[in-house]
């Protein structure tokens, strides 16, 4: 692909410039560069906050393996061999716990849980070793769209991947915005975004506990939101995402370690025994964002620039990684000009549908927990009961939740 110099920037004309050096931006840049696409990754490699984890579903693990990152990450990840859903809403209609086993659909695990900082560090190390990928470690300050390229202005002097002084501009046929939920590139392009909030916050931390988790992820559905324990390596460590009403979440966050551990043990019905806080805490506002058409002139949105989820159901980052893999496929099909309208239109069609379906599922589940409306409880309970008792339906839902068959990107296929 493009190897020419750009006289306007006194530097190379890249095929693609990815803005944002988080997990999704790194994965996007790596997915493109592995095919020989001349790629620049623009963004500071800032420290990643400890204490947050991500459950990487099977398709995401396939992508990381294709990118050459999984071998280093796997020893730091815990498999999720089973998932248990427990209704703890106090509803009059309480179905029995639903149990999902990965081996029922031919997998060793639905996914693997890993600390977010470890994931980003591993992807960064891989990015530094890949040819055709230039790291430009400073911020983008705006862009100018021309007929056959986009020119990114850089906020300050910085360094490229080799440590040399970087140019003040970067030119590319296509710019990919992986710059987060507040995405300056999305806002500057005038792409419409729908935003909403929930009357909840999510308390996150890492726990040590007396009993082995046995590679089982357990989610309690409470009237204030899901309370989820996800395995970490070692058998007796788990990550916590406790979604509750804003006031309660803030009160829990203010407790000392011993009091918080006791509250978590009570909420978990002592299933893992005595708890101990074993990592920093986070308090995450519950909000959502969707972009109906995640593309603009020579611009594609991926990750939270295109969709933001509350931390429910492990959908957020996994959907962002599907964006990365799908963009790689779209660019491969439009080799002559990765920023052309045809390439972007194809990418937009598939990604908008996927995001809309995932957004609807997460939103429906969360809102159904917040209401004591009996028909809503009946519908949710009947759904869980059906999943528990109808094996073909359960297997279908498990497969679609882990690796959707419709429109699965090439690097995520089995």
């Amino acid at each position: 692909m493009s190897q020419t110099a750009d006289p306007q920037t006194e530097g190379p004309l890249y095929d693609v410039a990815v803005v944002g050096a988080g997990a999704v931006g790194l994965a996007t840049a790596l997915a493109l560069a592995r095919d020989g696409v001349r790629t620049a990754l623009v963004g500071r490699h800032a420290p990643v906050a400890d204490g947050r984890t991500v459950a990487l579903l099977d398709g995401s693990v396939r992508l990381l393996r294709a990118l050459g990152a999984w071998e280093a990450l796997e020893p730091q990840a815990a498999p999720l061999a089973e998932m248990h859903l427990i209704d703890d809403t106090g509803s009059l209609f309480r179905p029995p716990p639903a149990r999902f086993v990965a081996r029922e659909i031919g997998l060793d695990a639905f996914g693997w849980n890993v600390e977010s900082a470890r994931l980003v560090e591993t992807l960064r190390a891989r990015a530094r070793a890949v040819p055709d990928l230039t790291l430009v470690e400073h911020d983008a300050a705006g862009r100018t769209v021309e007929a056959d390229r986009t020119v990114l202005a850089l906020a300050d002097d910085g360094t490229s991947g080799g440590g040399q002084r970087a140019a003040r501009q970067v030119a590319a046929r296509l710019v990919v915005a992986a710059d987060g939920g507040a995405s300056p590139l999305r806002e500057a392009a005038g792409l419409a975004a729908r935003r909403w909030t929930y009357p909840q916050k999510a308390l996150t931390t890492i726990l040590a506990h007396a009993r082995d988790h046995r590679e089982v992820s357990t989610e309690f559905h409470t009237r204030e939101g899901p309370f989820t324990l996800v395995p970490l390596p070692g058998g007796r460590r788990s990550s916590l995402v406790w979604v509750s009403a804003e006031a309660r979440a803030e009160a829990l966050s203010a407790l000392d370690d011993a009091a918080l551990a006791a509250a978590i043990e009570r909420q978990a019905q002592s299933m893992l025994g005595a708890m101990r806080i074993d990592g920093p805490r986070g308090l995450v506002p519950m909000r959502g964002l969707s972009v109906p058409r995640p593309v603009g002139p020579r611009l594609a949105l991926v990750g939270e620039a295109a969709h933001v989820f509350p931390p429910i159901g492990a959908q957020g980052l996994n959907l962002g990684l599907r964006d990365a893999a799908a963009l790689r496929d779209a660019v491969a099909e439009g080799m002559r000009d990765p920023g052309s309208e045809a390439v972007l239109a194809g990418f937009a069609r598939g990604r908008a549908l996927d995001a809309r379906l995932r957004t609807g599922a997460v939103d429906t589940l969360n809102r159904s927990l917040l209401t004591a409306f009996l028909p809503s409880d009946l519908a949710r309970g009947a759904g869980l009961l059906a999943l528990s008792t109808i094996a073909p339906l359960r297997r279908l839902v498990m497969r679609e939740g882990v690796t959707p068959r419709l429109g699965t990107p090439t690097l995520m296929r089995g």
Side-chain angles (χ1 to χ4, degrees):
M1 297 185 74
S2 176
Q3 302 289 332
T4 60
D6 182 12
Q8 300 177 45
T9 61
E10 297 181 355
L13 174 60
Y14 293 97
D15 296 307
V16 183
V18 180
V19 178
V24 172
L26 285 158
T28 303
L30 285 166
L32 294 166
R34 75 183 290 278
D35 288 344
V37 177
R38 190 167 172 81
T39 306
L41 178 64
V42 180
R44 296 184 185 278
H45 289 199
V48 179
D50 291 331
R52 296 287 299 275
T53 68
V54 59
L56 296 165
L57 300 181
D58 182 69
S60 296
V61 171
R62 293 177 190 275
L63 172 63
L64 294 173
R65 186 175 285 116
L67 300 182
W70 182 243
E71 183 177 355
L73 192 61
E74 185 175 12
Q76 306 170 65
L80 311 181
E82 294 189 23
M83 299 175 66
H84 296 177
L85 302 182
I86 300 172
D87 190 306
D88 194 24
T89 62
S91 169
L92 292 175
F93 183 77
R94 289 187 61 187
R99 179 171 175 258
F100 304 92
V101 181
R103 289 196 178 277
E104 191 175 354
I105 56 172
L107 298 175
D108 292 332
F110 292 113
W112 282 258
N113 195 36
V114 64
E115 294 182 46
S116 298
R118 298 285 180 90
L119 171 62
V120 173
E121 289 165 2
T122 301
L123 288 171
R124 285 177 179 169
R126 182 63 185 149
R128 294 186 184 103
V130 171
D132 291 311
L133 178 54
T134 299
L135 307 185
V136 183
E137 297 187 33
H138 49 157
D139 297 328
R143 73 182 188 117
T144 302
V145 183
E146 301 176 3
D148 64 345
R149 73 197 64 197
T150 289
V151 179
L152 288 170
L154 301 178
D156 52 39
D157 291 337
T159 60
S160 63
Q164 300 89 4
R165 180 68 69 186
R168 293 180 180 273
Q169 294 179 320
V170 172
R173 302 288 189 194
L174 171 66
V175 168
V176 180
D179 51 349
S183 181
L185 285 172
R186 183 192 65 227
E187 297 301 307
L191 297 179
R194 184 172 70 92
R195 298 173 175 83
W196 63 95
T197 60
Y198 301 92
Q200 303 157 291
K201 288 186 177 179
L203 174 67
T204 64
T205 193
I206 292 174
L207 306 166
H209 38 77
R211 298 176 188 156
D212 199 303
H213 52 57
R214 297 176 292 112
E215 299 178 353
V216 176
S217 176
T218 305
E219 182 170 293
F220 292 84
H221 289 172
T222 81
R223 190 56 79 191
E224 294 185 358
F227 170 96
T228 308
L229 296 167
V230 190
L232 282 171
R236 297 196 174 185
R237 295 177 75 240
S238 296
S239 61
L240 169 74
V241 180
W242 188 351
V243 177
S244 57
E246 290 179 292
R248 187 183 188 202
E250 291 167 359
L252 288 166
S253 183
L255 295 174
D256 63 32
D257 281 0
L260 178 59
I264 293 168
E265 183 183 347
R266 287 193 299 272
Q267 184 64 56
Q269 301 176 8
S270 297
M271 61 179 296
L272 294 177
M275 298 281 190
R276 175 173 58 82
I277 306 301
D278 196 36
R281 310 178 194 184
L283 194 60
V284 183
M286 295 283 283
R287 59 193 178 93
L289 178 146
S290 67
V291 179
R293 183 172 168 77
V295 297
R298 297 199 171 272
L299 177 69
L301 310 183
V302 298
E304 290 197 343
H307 39 71
V308 174
F309 287 82
I312 295 174
Q315 291 301 317
L317 179 61
N318 287 283
L319 186 61
L321 293 176
R322 283 207 296 282
D323 294 341
L327 185 66
R328 175 261 175 196
D329 286 353
V331 169
E333 292 176 4
M335 291 289 285
R336 290 187 177 179
D337 185 358
S340 69
E341 290 185 8
V343 169
L344 293 174
F347 169 74
R349 280 193 299 272
R351 300 320 302 142
L353 175 61
D354 194 6
R356 188 160 58 247
L357 292 173
R358 303 290 156 176
T359 298
V362 171
D363 184 72
T364 299
L365 170 61
N366 190 44
R367 293 188 189 278
S368 74
L369 295 174
L370 297 178
T371 177
F373 188 48
L374 184 58
S376 178
D377 282 348
L378 285 171
R380 186 182 65 254
L384 284 176
L385 185 60
L387 291 174
S388 296
T389 57
I390 305 174
L393 175 63
R394 182 172 62 251
R395 288 192 288 269
L396 174 63
V397 170
M398 286 192 290
R399 289 192 189 98
E400 287 302 305
V402 174
T403 305
R405 291 187 177 184
L406 180 62
T408 300
T410 305
L411 297 183
M412 289 185 158
R413 294 176 190 164

